[in-house]
Amino acid sequence: MGDKSKKPDQVVYNEETEKYEAGLLPYATNSSAPKITPTDLTGWKNSNVSKVNHQIKTEYEELRNQYEKLMAQFEYNNLIYSAEFSFEPIVGQTYHLYKKKNGNIFLSIISPNECNFQFKGSFKLNEDKMWIRLNTKANTKSLK
């Protein structure tokens, strides 16, 4: 292939590699080649964009819900640890959070049906010293 003479325009010859490359190109190289028409991918793209957007939105909603639960858990743990109590809570025991008339929050072992304070919720201390909110009808209200 040492022939350095000029090749006709329709011949695809790479002078650096000294090879004919017409068969390697992704497009037609002469006028008698079939017409190349790009495939219309608009429908495919639109349906897949919709699916991906739905999936991302679903994951976002899940993360947002987890964040809201985590923040609520942070808030009531912060509230309980800043509340008044004169005993050391025992892991696994149920305690009740109340609000006095003067606005002070306190933790007690006395159940809501045995006292006249404003009931804020029932909680249980877990092994990690994190307070877990128990599901009761009164607990559906805000702690504030």
Side-chain angles (χ1 to χ4, degrees):
M1 298 273 177
D3 186 9
K4 300 281 184 180
S5 64
K6 173 131 173 64
K7 307 286 186 227
D9 287 341
Q10 72 270 16
V11 175
V12 180
Y13 182 76
N14 186 338
E15 292 181 3
E16 292 176 10
T17 61
E18 297 184 355
K19 293 183 181 177
Y20 291 95
E21 296 183 344
L24 303 176
L25 296 176
Y27 53 86
T29 60
N30 63 44
S31 60
S32 65
K35 179 180 176 186
I36 297 175
T37 55
T39 307
D40 183 18
L41 298 175
T42 307
W44 180 85
K45 287 180 181 180
N46 289 340
S47 70
N48 287 324
V49 164
S50 175
K51 290 175 186 176
V52 168
N53 286 345
H54 176 71
Q55 181 179 353
I56 290 171
K57 183 179 178 184
T58 302
E59 288 179 28
Y60 168 77
E61 293 294 329
E62 289 173 10
L63 286 173
R64 191 182 71 176
N65 289 338
Q66 288 176 351
Y67 171 78
E68 288 173 358
K69 287 178 186 177
L70 188 62
M71 288 308 297
Q73 188 176 16
F74 170 78
E75 288 175 14
Y76 64 69
N77 270 277
N78 194 31
L79 182 64
I80 294 170
Y81 275 114
S82 63
E84 299 173 6
F85 52 93
S86 57
F87 56 89
E88 184 177 334
I90 299 170
V91 172
Q93 294 294 320
T94 300
Y95 297 93
H96 310 282
L97 196 64
Y98 298 100
K99 186 176 186 179
K100 294 181 184 178
K101 289 182 181 177
N102 64 5
N104 291 349
I105 302 290
F106 70 98
L107 192 65
S108 175
I109 59 173
I110 300 171
S111 67
N113 57 358
E114 298 174 345
C115 67
N116 296 339
F117 297 105
Q118 183 182 356
F119 178 64
K120 300 305 259 176
S122 295
F123 299 88
K124 188 179 281 193
L125 186 64
N126 73 7
E127 307 81 34
D128 297 330
K129 305 300 186 225
M130 189 176 297
W131 291 96
I132 305 299
R133 190 171 194 173
L134 301 177
N135 291 330
T136 62
K137 289 179 184 176
N139 278 343
T140 58
K141 298 176 186 174
S142 173
L143 290 176
K144 295 180 180 177

